[in-house]
Amino acid sequence: MPLKEGDSVVIWVDPKRVFLVKIEKGKKFGSDKGTLDLSTLIGKEYGSTVSLSTGVQAYLLRPTPLDAYNGLRRPSQVLYPKDISYMIYVSGIKEGDTVVEAGTGSGFLTISLAYTVGGKGRVITYDIREDMQETARRNLSFMGLLDRVTFKLKDIRQGIDERDVDAVFLDMPDPWNTIQYVHDILKPSGSVVIFVPTVNQIEKTVLKISEFDFVDVHAEELIVREYQVKENATRPKNIGVVHTGFIIRARKSIKGS
Amino acid sequence: MPLKEGDSVVIWVDPKRVFLVKIEKGKKFGSDKGTLDLSTLIGKEYGSTVSLSTGVQAYLLRPTPLDAYNGLRRPSQVLYPKDISYMIYVSGIKEGDTVVEAGTGSGFLTISLAYTVGGKGRVITYDIREDMQETARRNLSFMGLLDRVTFKLKDIRQGIDERDVDAVFLDMPDPWNTIQYVHDILKPSGSVVIFVPTVNQIEKTVLKISEFDFVDVHAEELIVREYQVKENATRPKNIGVVHTGFIIRARKSIKGS
Amino acid sequence: MPLKEGDSVVIWVDPKRVFLVKIEKGKKFGSDKGTLDLSTLIGKEYGSTVSLSTGVQAYLLRPTPLDAYNGLRRPSQVLYPKDISYMIYVSGIKEGDTVVEAGTGSGFLTISLAYTVGGKGRVITYDIREDMQETARRNLSFMGLLDRVTFKLKDIRQGIDERDVDAVFLDMPDPWNTIQYVHDILKPSGSVVIFVPTVNQIEKTVLKISEFDFVDVHAEELIVREYQVKENATRPKNIGVVHTGFIIRARKSIKGS
Amino acid sequence: MPLKEGDSVVIWVDPKRVFLVKIEKGKKFGSDKGTLDLSTLIGKEYGSTVSLSTGVQAYLLRPTPLDAYNGLRRPSQVLYPKDISYMIYVSGIKEGDTVVEAGTGSGFLTISLAYTVGGKGRVITYDIREDMQETARRNLSFMGLLDRVTFKLKDIRQGIDERDVDAVFLDMPDPWNTIQYVHDILKPSGSVVIFVPTVNQIEKTVLKISEFDFVDVHAEELIVREYQVKENATRPKNIGVVHTGFIIRARKSIKGS
């Protein structure tokens, strides 16, 4: 299916130059490797190549959440793909599910949640900062996922409006202050998945979780190593991200029953 | 919604005793912690608890792919959740997609693929061993996902029947021997994601990939550490899995275009 | 130099069967792979091989601290080679130095300390358990290092007798309770190196250290991965130790000067 | 003991500004944090503090091999402390030993070897580049260890002059090309310890080692994570070194004996 105006496309120049753009007539894409008149993309196919103004070749790719991570601006610290992928997997969410998230941040986890729950699913995302939600809205729009998401400018530590949700995702400094509300709104057997950067937060969060009816509680850390492959000289890359944070998960139970 | 005959349910006794069963009248669940007449589960809710014959409490949970991993028999070496979650994420697959997989093995990756592509998606899975596919069929049936999967008892190194698929997943000893066919059948911009246990396989696979029109090629390793949380005594667990394998990914491009 | 009665020798059968013994006439070595009359070792050379009663070959090796770790009984949890080696290196200790250690435990760190400070160095080791110190004495004797070590059956949290020592090594549950004494007895610029298993202990210890005149404070964790090498199938080993503990180090300064 | 002309001293400004200098009258130390007339250090004690020209405080520390690593210029890629410490430990070398090393590089491993074998030990270090050995000489001189080291401007793949050495350390691109000579010159039970950056080199080296009489062969990788300690916010640091290389070790045996 040929690209048309309004489509999103990844312009992949090299591993460090990945850009997610929306095709608009009259708009120009610019990078240190050259520029490109975006209207020239109309009629091209995903997977094909284009030449930037400098003659440098670039690839046109169909956007995935990982491209969103690499290709959109990230004004705030955002979750890494290694963490997002595991958080989604362990939560067990799937097409059609309803999930609640806080905080919205730049919307990168929101993108992956909306991508996963699909056209009939729903993501409700809370944040107390309007500017962050504006950024998130723009990012979701680039991915064509904006209509699956409800934004709430509200402090999730004051309560959560939804009921019977399939999963809750928390990326906030003090998740222990909303655990009670999370328990209230989860479906039985539904997952809460939490990201925290420090070990102290693991401890506080897990201890708070243990005060409520939750089961299958785990705290884990994911580490990713990229390999540099050359004939006869393959090895892990030298420098990289050593730490992002920890993932805590639990499932609501209804013990008394 | 109360449980009924034919439903699948996770019987969660403790982190090392997780069982995925199907409710059948007259069938008994057995473990070293006690037994349970499965018909007594009818009418219960996911999230609630039951007492085994010994008085030990167990939780009834709604099955996710992670529960399949923990709760089904694994006659062969299978992919770990940390690897499956990342493979699915980086592939960019979503509801409605068509994906090809080889080999089927015990069907644990198949379960996650079928779960992700949803009711309108399709998984075609190749293996040369009929016994493995039988196991996989049973495992998919436990998850209620059998109807999304087509089984092919065929050597994928001899060719692939499908065309224009969204992604291909390979977990086989010599993926380089089918890369040409994988390139043929992928949609432009579609992903191939490959799992291999040794570094030599990384090198061979990536070098073979570089002979075809692929872009965004990466080889990565995921490591997971579980934490043991106790008040004032939180630390990583002592013993664990240090290595499973490496994940290679690439996206098809159509250079000449 | 041929082996003689009283010499220590490593009987290396395979990587999981390493034994450190002392040659005594009339004594027999026993393992599940066969036995050996130890007097038959007299006159042999380090590096040579012997046949156990079963015909299984074993190697005779000159004992190093790593052999002590692998070849002596460990009734208590002991420090791992990866940690011991780094603790000694960062401490900067060398031949002729005087070092204080607590607790003694089974004496495995003591062995490495005594090995490093050499014939003119001195290790003073504190523990409150006499039975542990008995084990440590026996282990040091197997390594021929007993005369470099002074044992003190005393609670190091009540004070330390020595003065102007080159380094202090702590492997105890509450190192923060002796930091003041450690500062008192260290030479200026001397190192304290501390091993703790939990993250909470890191925090408490480092915060306590920061109350005194110390500089160059670090908290680190060492992880080791062993590789399994086969032609065309080289990879990290699958299962292993994921966590032992954390190493904290600091050097005494004399700020007011 | 007060500092005097010719003494080496570490000027420790902060964790990223560590300098190893030799006290010379009339010489000035310079850094972006201020300068210091080195003759003013005479009469000071290790562990005390000085003020740089800017008023910034710096600590005077007694140099250890780790300070050499942090405080000397490194014109070439050098071994990391985590690797050096483990290489020395597993080798079993001690005061009085004779060890052979190739290549010399900037002399950082040489410093640690000379430090460990002590005043009666000997390090013979081979390299084919005279400029590297000049750098190494200067670095060893800063540590006061030059008289324990013999430099040989020779290709170790052409043969090794020494006999009956306690250990051999190799940090060179093709260690397999000198393994035969290494076996020849090692004492029985003596260790060879090898550092290589790629997995292919592990395989080639270990396969070559297996052609000779060696025992206790291992290939390992050390990973270090530094922790950032703050009250209630302790966690691993975010960015760091993910990979340096692999350590291979083996001990010479004399099978036929």
Side-chain angles (χ1 to χ4, degrees):
Chain A
M1 228 169 47
L3 291 167
K4 58 182 194 308
E5 180 152 23
D7 280 351
S8 290
V9 62
V10 176
I11 301 179
W12 196 98
V13 183
D14 59 47
K16 299 198 164 177
R17 289 179 181 82
V18 179
F19 307 93
L20 181 46
V21 301
K22 212 174 238 187
I23 301 179
E24 290 180 58
K25 277 181 191 151
K27 238 192 163 173
K28 227 184 173 91
F29 158 78
S31 80
D32 66 330
K33 287 287 177 185
T35 62
L36 185 69
D37 184 348
L38 288 178
S39 58
T40 64
L41 301 187
I42 296 171
K44 295 255 177 192
E45 298 275 348
Y46 286 127
S48 63
T49 56
V50 290
S51 290
L52 304 186
S53 57
T54 53
V56 168
Q57 289 271 97
Y59 296 85
L60 305 176
L61 299 175
R62 182 190 308 271
T64 67
L66 182 54
D67 293 317
Y69 174 83
N70 288 315
L72 291 174
R73 258 168 310 146
R74 289 170 277 175
S76 66
Q77 182 68 21
V78 305
L79 291 176
Y80 277 65
K82 68 175 178 77
D83 296 315
I84 288 179
S85 58
Y86 197 67
M87 291 171 77
I88 287 178
Y89 185 83
V90 298
S91 77
I93 63 166
K94 58 183 186 307
E95 55 167 358
D97 278 359
T98 298
V99 307
V100 163
E101 173 205 35
T104 309
S106 301
F108 285 91
L109 176 57
T110 327
I111 284 172
S112 287
L113 296 173
Y115 197 81
T116 305
V117 299
K120 289 180 182 152
R122 193 90 217 131
V123 180
I124 302 98
T125 185
Y126 286 74
D127 209 303
I128 49 175
R129 285 183 54 182
E130 194 158 13
D131 58 334
M132 295 310 298
Q133 290 205 329
E134 268 320 297
T135 301
R137 264 197 191 88
R138 199 173 53 238
N139 286 341
L140 278 149
S141 158
F142 265 105
M143 291 292 294
L145 297 169
L146 194 53
D147 59 343
R148 300 179 187 178
V149 180
T150 305
F151 287 83
K152 296 207 169 172
L153 194 64
K154 232 183 114 167
D155 187 343
I156 200 170
R157 297 169 300 185
Q158 306 302 327
I160 313 178
D161 307 328
E162 289 68 30
R163 284 296 168 273
D164 283 317
V165 304
D166 294 289
V168 176
F169 294 80
L170 301 176
D171 175 15
M172 56 191 288
D174 55 345
W176 49 86
N177 283 327
T178 194
I179 288 297
Q180 165 154 18
Y181 300 120
V182 168
H183 190 271
D184 287 350
I185 70 158
L186 274 175
K187 271 187 197 163
S189 190
S191 292
V192 57
V193 184
I194 304 167
F195 181 86
V196 292
T198 76
V199 181
N200 309 71
Q201 288 166 307
I202 300 178
E203 193 172 307
K204 272 193 190 169
T205 305
V206 169
L207 291 178
K208 175 58 80 176
I209 284 173
S210 72
E211 296 176 16
F212 296 87
D213 279 359
F214 282 105
V215 67
D216 203 11
V217 185
H218 294 271
E220 291 166 304
E221 180 182 18
L222 273 282
I223 298 167
V224 67
R225 295 223 291 179
E226 179 147 18
Y227 281 69
Q228 179 175 309
V229 179
K230 271 194 223 167
E231 190 156 16
N232 259 321
T234 295
R235 58 168 180 77
K237 292 204 173 170
N238 292 131
I239 303 291
V241 171
V242 175
H243 174 72
T244 58
F246 307 97
I247 295 167
I248 302 161
R249 59 185 159 103
R251 289 203 266 178
K252 175 176 174 173
S253 60
I254 36 176
K255 257 176 205 149
S257 59
Chain B
M1 228 169 50
L3 292 166
K4 58 183 192 308
E5 181 151 23
D7 280 351
S8 289
V9 61
V10 176
I11 301 180
W12 196 100
V13 182
D14 59 47
K16 299 198 163 177
R17 288 178 181 84
V18 179
F19 307 92
L20 180 47
V21 301
K22 212 174 236 188
I23 301 179
E24 289 181 58
K25 277 182 191 152
K27 238 194 163 172
K28 229 186 172 91
F29 158 79
S31 81
D32 66 330
K33 287 288 178 185
T35 62
L36 185 69
D37 185 350
L38 288 177
S39 58
T40 65
L41 300 187
I42 296 172
K44 295 254 178 195
E45 298 276 348
Y46 285 127
S48 63
T49 56
V50 289
S51 291
L52 304 186
S53 58
T54 53
V56 168
Q57 289 272 95
Y59 296 84
L60 305 177
L61 299 175
R62 183 189 308 270
T64 68
L66 182 55
D67 293 317
Y69 174 82
N70 287 314
L72 292 174
R73 258 168 310 146
R74 289 170 277 175
S76 66
Q77 183 68 21
V78 304
L79 291 176
Y80 277 66
K82 71 176 176 75
D83 296 315
I84 288 180
S85 58
Y86 197 68
M87 292 171 77
I88 286 179
Y89 185 83
V90 298
S91 76
I93 63 167
K94 58 183 186 307
E95 54 169 357
D97 278 359
T98 298
V99 307
V100 164
E101 173 206 36
T104 310
S106 301
F108 286 90
L109 177 57
T110 328
I111 284 172
S112 286
L113 295 172
Y115 196 81
T116 304
V117 299
K120 287 180 183 153
R122 193 91 216 129
V123 180
I124 303 98
T125 183
Y126 286 75
D127 209 302
I128 49 177
R129 286 183 55 182
E130 195 160 13
D131 57 335
M132 293 311 297
Q133 290 205 328
E134 268 320 297
T135 301
R137 263 195 193 89
R138 201 174 51 239
N139 286 340
L140 278 148
S141 157
F142 265 105
M143 289 293 293
L145 297 168
L146 194 54
D147 59 343
R148 303 179 185 177
V149 180
T150 305
F151 288 84
K152 296 208 168 172
L153 194 63
K154 234 184 112 168
D155 187 344
I156 199 169
R157 296 169 302 186
Q158 307 302 327
I160 313 180
D161 307 329
E162 290 67 32
R163 284 294 169 272
D164 283 318
V165 304
D166 295 288
V168 177
F169 294 81
L170 301 176
D171 175 16
M172 56 190 290
D174 55 344
W176 49 86
N177 283 327
T178 194
I179 287 298
Q180 166 154 18
Y181 300 120
V182 168
H183 190 270
D184 288 349
I185 70 159
L186 272 175
K187 273 188 194 160
S189 188
S191 293
V192 57
V193 185
I194 303 167
F195 181 86
V196 293
T198 77
V199 181
N200 310 72
Q201 289 167 306
I202 299 179
E203 193 172 308
K204 274 193 188 167
T205 305
V206 169
L207 292 177
K208 175 58 79 175
I209 284 173
S210 71
E211 295 175 17
F212 296 87
D213 280 358
F214 282 105
V215 66
D216 202 11
V217 185
H218 295 270
E220 291 166 304
E221 179 182 19
L222 272 283
I223 298 167
V224 68
R225 297 222 292 177
E226 180 150 16
Y227 281 69
Q228 179 175 307
V229 179
K230 270 195 223 166
E231 189 156 15
N232 259 319
T234 295
R235 57 168 181 78
K237 291 203 174 172
N238 292 131
I239 304 291
V241 171
V242 175
H243 174 73
T244 58
F246 307 98
I247 295 167
I248 302 161
R249 58 185 160 103
R251 288 203 267 179
K252 176 176 174 172
S253 60
I254 37 178
K255 258 177 204 146
S257 58
Chain C
M1 228 169 47
L3 292 167
K4 57 182 194 307
E5 180 152 22
D7 280 352
S8 289
V9 61
V10 175
I11 300 180
W12 197 98
V13 183
D14 60 46
K16 298 198 165 179
R17 288 178 182 84
V18 179
F19 306 93
L20 180 46
V21 301
K22 212 175 238 187
I23 302 180
E24 291 180 57
K25 278 182 191 151
K27 236 191 165 173
K28 228 185 172 92
F29 159 79
S31 81
D32 66 330
K33 287 288 177 182
T35 61
L36 185 69
D37 184 348
L38 288 178
S39 57
T40 65
L41 301 186
I42 296 172
K44 295 252 178 195
E45 297 274 350
Y46 285 127
S48 63
T49 56
V50 289
S51 291
L52 303 186
S53 57
T54 52
V56 168
Q57 289 272 97
Y59 296 85
L60 305 177
L61 298 175
R62 183 190 308 271
T64 67
L66 182 54
D67 293 316
Y69 174 82
N70 287 315
L72 292 174
R73 258 168 310 147
R74 288 170 276 175
S76 66
Q77 182 69 21
V78 304
L79 291 176
Y80 278 64
K82 70 175 175 76
D83 296 314
I84 289 180
S85 58
Y86 197 66
M87 292 171 76
I88 287 178
Y89 185 81
V90 298
S91 76
I93 62 166
K94 58 183 186 308
E95 54 168 358
D97 279 358
T98 298
V99 307
V100 163
E101 174 206 34
T104 310
S106 302
F108 285 91
L109 177 56
T110 327
I111 284 172
S112 287
L113 295 173
Y115 197 80
T116 304
V117 298
K120 289 182 183 151
R122 192 92 218 128
V123 180
I124 302 99
T125 185
Y126 286 75
D127 209 303
I128 49 175
R129 285 183 54 183
E130 195 159 12
D131 58 334
M132 295 310 297
Q133 290 206 329
E134 268 321 297
T135 301
R137 266 198 190 88
R138 199 173 53 240
N139 286 341
L140 278 149
S141 158
F142 264 106
M143 290 293 292
L145 297 169
L146 194 53
D147 59 344
R148 300 180 186 177
V149 180
T150 305
F151 289 84
K152 296 207 170 172
L153 194 63
K154 234 183 112 167
D155 187 343
I156 200 170
R157 298 169 300 187
Q158 307 302 327
I160 313 179
D161 307 329
E162 289 68 31
R163 284 295 168 273
D164 282 317
V165 305
D166 294 290
V168 176
F169 293 82
L170 301 176
D171 176 16
M172 57 191 287
D174 54 345
W176 48 86
N177 283 327
T178 194
I179 287 298
Q180 165 154 18
Y181 300 120
V182 167
H183 190 271
D184 287 348
I185 70 158
L186 273 174
K187 271 186 197 161
S189 189
S191 292
V192 57
V193 184
I194 303 168
F195 181 87
V196 292
T198 77
V199 181
N200 309 71
Q201 288 166 306
I202 299 179
E203 193 172 307
K204 273 192 190 169
T205 305
V206 169
L207 292 178
K208 175 59 80 174
I209 284 173
S210 71
E211 296 176 15
F212 295 89
D213 279 359
F214 282 106
V215 67
D216 204 11
V217 185
H218 294 272
E220 291 167 304
E221 180 181 18
L222 273 282
I223 298 167
V224 66
R225 296 224 291 179
E226 180 148 17
Y227 281 70
Q228 179 174 308
V229 180
K230 272 194 222 166
E231 189 156 16
N232 259 321
T234 295
R235 58 167 180 78
K237 291 203 173 169
N238 292 131
I239 303 290
V241 171
V242 175
H243 174 72
T244 58
F246 307 97
I247 295 166
I248 302 161
R249 59 183 158 104
R251 287 202 267 179
K252 176 176 173 173
S253 60
I254 36 176
K255 258 176 203 149
S257 58
Chain D
M1 229 169 51
L3 292 167
K4 57 182 193 308
E5 180 150 24
D7 280 352
S8 290
V9 61
V10 176
I11 300 179
W12 197 98
V13 183
D14 60 46
K16 298 199 163 175
R17 289 179 181 85
V18 179
F19 307 94
L20 182 46
V21 302
K22 212 175 237 187
I23 301 180
E24 289 181 57
K25 278 182 192 152
K27 238 194 163 171
K28 229 185 172 89
F29 159 79
S31 81
D32 66 331
K33 287 288 177 184
T35 61
L36 185 69
D37 184 349
L38 288 178
S39 57
T40 64
L41 300 187
I42 296 173
K44 295 253 178 195
E45 299 274 350
Y46 285 127
S48 63
T49 56
V50 289
S51 290
L52 303 186
S53 57
T54 52
V56 168
Q57 290 272 96
Y59 296 84
L60 306 177
L61 299 175
R62 184 190 307 271
T64 68
L66 181 55
D67 293 315
Y69 174 82
N70 288 315
L72 292 174
R73 258 168 309 146
R74 289 170 278 176
S76 66
Q77 182 69 20
V78 304
L79 291 176
Y80 277 64
K82 71 176 176 76
D83 296 316
I84 289 181
S85 58
Y86 197 67
M87 292 171 77
I88 287 179
Y89 185 83
V90 299
S91 76
I93 63 166
K94 58 183 186 309
E95 53 169 358
D97 278 0
T98 297
V99 307
V100 163
E101 174 206 35
T104 309
S106 303
F108 286 91
L109 177 56
T110 328
I111 283 172
S112 287
L113 296 173
Y115 196 80
T116 305
V117 299
K120 288 180 183 155
R122 193 92 217 128
V123 180
I124 302 99
T125 184
Y126 286 74
D127 209 303
I128 49 176
R129 285 183 55 183
E130 195 160 12
D131 58 334
M132 295 310 297
Q133 291 205 328
E134 268 319 297
T135 301
R137 263 196 193 91
R138 200 173 51 238
N139 286 341
L140 278 148
S141 158
F142 265 105
M143 289 293 292
L145 297 168
L146 194 53
D147 59 343
R148 301 179 185 178
V149 180
T150 305
F151 288 84
K152 296 207 169 173
L153 194 63
K154 233 184 112 168
D155 187 343
I156 199 170
R157 297 168 302 185
Q158 307 302 326
I160 314 179
D161 307 329
E162 290 68 31
R163 284 295 169 273
D164 282 317
V165 304
D166 295 289
V168 177
F169 294 82
L170 301 175
D171 175 17
M172 56 190 288
D174 55 345
W176 48 85
N177 283 327
T178 193
I179 287 296
Q180 166 154 18
Y181 300 120
V182 167
H183 191 271
D184 287 349
I185 69 157
L186 272 175
K187 271 188 196 161
S189 189
S191 293
V192 57
V193 185
I194 303 167
F195 181 88
V196 294
T198 76
V199 181
N200 309 71
Q201 289 166 305
I202 300 179
E203 193 171 308
K204 274 193 188 167
T205 305
V206 169
L207 292 177
K208 176 57 80 175
I209 284 173
S210 72
E211 295 175 16
F212 295 88
D213 279 358
F214 282 106
V215 66
D216 202 12
V217 185
H218 295 270
E220 291 167 302
E221 180 183 17
L222 273 282
I223 299 166
V224 68
R225 297 223 290 177
E226 179 148 17
Y227 281 70
Q228 180 174 308
V229 179
K230 271 194 222 166
E231 189 156 16
N232 259 321
T234 295
R235 57 168 181 77
K237 290 203 173 170
N238 292 131
I239 304 291
V241 171
V242 175
H243 175 72
T244 58
F246 307 97
I247 296 167
I248 303 162
R249 59 183 158 105
R251 288 203 266 179
K252 176 176 175 173
S253 60
I254 38 177
K255 257 178 203 146
S257 59

